[in-house]
Amino acid sequence: MKLFYKPGACSLASHIALCETGATFEIEKVDTDLGRTETGNDYGAINPNGYVPALQLEDGEVLTEGAAVLQYIASCFPEAGLASQTTTLERARLQETLNWVAAELHKAFSPLFNTQSSDAAKEAARVAVAAKFDRLETQLSDGREWIVGSRFSVADAYLFTVANWANFTGINLSGWPSLAEYITRITVRPSVLKAMKSEGLVQ
């Protein structure tokens, strides 16, 4: 398999999940502004949506959309324990969390990465992110180690990736101590360090 990624983007979650499985895979960086991969290929021909992640399977099929890619990885490598493999409330909660991160938290951050955003739009985005962080703080303040279930899952990979954007957008996490602790705990996970080093995000 080959993962098409942009350093630090939401594709990092899929990269972390693949590292968790111990599977052999390739990665290829994408310049989404130019629409080219690092080997010079037209990314639009690989993923017409133009954004990351895209996971090219061994048979050449390409899967897109982060939540779908993450669940596919979890299903392909059940031994990694990245998601419940049965139709249970826990699996539904995982899907619920993946969808919320994609539709709510990720979307709230978007203006902070858009160079065309006005100062007013960026301030509104910070307010929106803070409201999402308030919700997460309430969830995590019950002492849970992971966002869903009793072990690290693809929901944690995705939530960590997006919530950690606070550290790249000047949002101080001191007002959300449980969330800050959660992010710190995941940051030192071997799979996370391996993925982030591969993307040049950490030394």
Short mmCIF file of all heavy atoms in Angstrom, two decimals, residues 5 30 44 103 168:
data_model
loop_
_atom_site.label_atom_id
_atom_site.label_comp_id
_atom_site.label_asym_id
_atom_site.label_seq_id
_atom_site.Cartn_x
_atom_site.Cartn_y
_atom_site.Cartn_z
N TYR A 5 0.38 11.76 1.39
CA TYR A 5 0.24 12.58 2.58
C TYR A 5 0.80 13.98 2.37
O TYR A 5 1.55 14.25 1.42
CB TYR A 5 0.97 11.94 3.76
CG TYR A 5 2.48 12.13 3.69
CD1 TYR A 5 3.11 13.13 4.45
CD2 TYR A 5 3.29 11.36 2.85
CE1 TYR A 5 4.49 13.33 4.38
CE2 TYR A 5 4.65 11.55 2.77
CZ TYR A 5 5.25 12.54 3.53
OH TYR A 5 6.61 12.75 3.44
N VAL A 30 2.68 14.97 -0.98
CA VAL A 30 1.89 15.67 -1.98
C VAL A 30 1.96 17.17 -1.74
O VAL A 30 1.84 17.63 -0.60
CB VAL A 30 0.41 15.22 -1.93
CG1 VAL A 30 -0.43 16.01 -2.94
CG2 VAL A 30 0.29 13.72 -2.19
N GLY A 44 -4.09 14.91 -9.09
CA GLY A 44 -5.49 14.89 -9.47
C GLY A 44 -5.90 13.60 -10.17
O GLY A 44 -7.06 13.19 -10.11
N ALA A 103 -16.11 16.53 10.69
CA ALA A 103 -17.12 17.53 10.37
C ALA A 103 -17.10 18.75 11.27
O ALA A 103 -17.50 19.84 10.85
CB ALA A 103 -18.51 16.88 10.42
N PHE A 168 0.30 24.47 16.44
CA PHE A 168 0.81 25.09 15.22
C PHE A 168 0.04 26.36 14.85
O PHE A 168 0.37 27.02 13.88
CB PHE A 168 0.76 24.10 14.05
CG PHE A 168 1.57 22.86 14.28
CD1 PHE A 168 0.99 21.72 14.79
CD2 PHE A 168 2.93 22.84 14.01
CE1 PHE A 168 1.74 20.56 15.01
CE2 PHE A 168 3.69 21.71 14.23
CZ PHE A 168 3.10 20.56 14.73
#
